[in-house]
Amino acid sequence: MKKIVANFKMNKTPSEVKQYLMTLVPRFDKAENIDLCLCLPYTSLSEAKYLLKGYPVKLGAQNLSECEAGGNTGEISGAMLKDVGVDSVIIGHSERRSRFKENSKIINKKIKIALKNRLNVILCVGESLAEKNTLKTLDTLREQIEEALKGLYENELESITIAYEPIWAIGTGKNATPREIEYAVKVIRKVVEDDFSTKASKEICVLYGGSVTNKNVASIIKAKGVDGALIGGASLDANMFLNILSLI
Ligand code: PGA
């Protein structure tokens, strides 16, 4: 079973999402081999909960607050996401790390809040182009994962998926090669092994994200150690996304 996560980012109004779901969901016929989760904008979650009812498609969010409740104007809590039917939440996406200054301490707090609210976590990690070019991929991934998972119990890793998303590949049309992905996934599993156990390193779900399209999805998904993909731009057109799903 491969896991496919769509990240809509800040795209589509509620009416556009409704249209999209009405096109995609009834035609998604690969539930036996694809665990599909759609990470929608907050404004569409409530309606999507009803539109997805009875279909094998999970609802996801793209962020949550590191605080529980109260005086945090404009923020969305873990409890709110859980109540609206969210299964999984993306945490630590590079756009949030860079544009919204989310550091590893905040990411660690968000993961703990998500777990407390029984939400699954899709933790994004990945190196910049400068780090890649100076051979710092390993160090970057190790640091990001160790900081993010600090203080977690091994059994909590069941609720964590790690998405390897090299920053230079996100939205650029330049995907990492299967070889580069295999290397990064090996590093990710090694960090989990060092910090938790061999069992945890084998069992943790690891995805690749960054310019995945219908042209490269088949080879990416086959890369050793890869359990699925996180797809941004290419998930936004329902027909194009159905085509990608048909190739898995
Ligand atoms: P992309 O985005 O597929 O458009 O490169 C992936 C992501 O940001 O998660």
Side-chain angles (χ1 to χ4, degrees), residues 7 9 93 95 165 169-172 209-212 230-234:
N7 176 12
K9 311 193 182 192
H93 191 282
E95 286 156 13
E165 294 215 305
I170 296 176
T172 58
S211 296
V212 175
L230 202 171
I231 306 178

Side-chain angles (χ1 to χ4, degrees), residues 2 13-14 22 27 58-60 67 111 116 118 137 139 143-144 170 181 187 192 203 205 224 227 231 241-243:
K2 294 291 182 184
T13 62
M22 281 166 32
R27 286 167 60 202
K58 290 175 182 154
L59 188 57
C67 304
I111 291 178
K116 196 169 168 193
R118 289 170 290 113
T137 300
D139 295 339
E143 192 184 320
Q144 288 178 349
I170 296 176
I181 297 171
V187 169
V192 173
E203 287 176 358
C205 180
K224 200 164 167 238
D227 297 311
I231 306 178
F241 193 44
L242 279 165
N243 175 236

Side-chain angles (χ1 to χ4, degrees), residues 17-237:
V17 171
K18 183 175 178 183
Q19 203 58 46
Y20 177 100
L21 294 179
M22 281 166 32
T23 309
L24 181 117
V25 172
R27 286 167 60 202
F28 172 63
D29 58 2
K30 300 203 72 185
E32 319 83 61
N33 63 331
I34 297 180
D35 174 10
L36 180 62
C37 178
L38 305 177
C39 296
L40 306 176
Y42 289 140
T43 45
S44 288
L45 294 175
S46 252
E47 192 172 23
K49 177 181 177 178
Y50 292 100
L51 291 172
L52 296 179
K53 213 170 204 156
Y55 290 102
V57 180
K58 290 175 182 154
L59 188 57
Q62 303 167 20
N63 183 30
L64 86 170
S65 172
E66 72 264 34
C67 304
E68 299 233 21
N72 299 288
T73 302
E75 290 292 286
I76 301 285
S77 73
M80 292 169 188
L81 294 183
K82 188 69 191 174
D83 191 70
V84 85
V86 164
D87 172 87
S88 303
V89 56
I90 296 175
I91 296 180
H93 191 282
S94 70
E95 286 156 13
R96 296 218 57 90
R97 289 181 195 256
S98 63
R99 305 189 51 173
F100 301 94
K101 308 285 172 256
E102 284 190 13
N103 57 31
S104 34
K105 221 170 169 177
I106 294 175
I107 290 165
N108 179 253
K109 268 188 172 174
K110 288 190 174 192
I111 291 178
K112 288 177 176 160
I113 283 276
L115 295 176
K116 196 169 168 193
N117 285 284
R118 289 170 290 113
L119 293 163
N120 294 307
V121 170
I122 300 153
L123 166 67
C124 297
V125 296
E127 81 285 2
S128 66
L129 187 59
E131 286 164 339
K132 174 185 186 320
N133 290 341
T134 50
L135 307 178
K136 297 221 175 75
T137 300
L138 187 151
D139 295 339
T140 303
L141 293 177
R142 178 170 288 277
E143 192 184 320
Q144 288 178 349
I145 296 167
E146 289 192 335
E147 295 286 325
L149 302 184
K150 202 177 263 176
L152 261 61
Y153 296 104
E154 182 169 331
N155 66 349
E156 291 178 309
L157 295 190
E158 278 170 25
S159 308
I160 309 267
T161 289
I162 300 181
Y164 169 56
E165 294 215 305
I167 298 169
W168 50 269
I170 296 176
T172 58
K174 285 187 209 137
N175 61 284
T177 63
R179 253 188 91 173
E180 288 169 326
I181 297 171
E182 284 176 3
Y183 169 74
V185 170
K186 216 168 137 184
V187 169
I188 289 168
R189 292 193 188 278
K190 178 77 175 92
V191 177
V192 173
E193 177 168 30
D194 292 346
D195 290 1
F196 295 92
S197 70
T198 306
K199 184 172 176 279
S201 82
K202 284 190 181 139
E203 287 176 358
I204 192 143
C205 180
V206 184
L207 311 181
Y208 167 78
S211 296
V212 175
T213 65
N214 58 351
K215 302 259 179 328
N216 56 30
V217 69
S219 59
I220 285 172
I221 225 84
K222 269 193 239 125
K224 200 164 167 238
V226 174
D227 297 311
L230 202 171
I231 306 178
S235 70
L236 290 173
D237 180 284

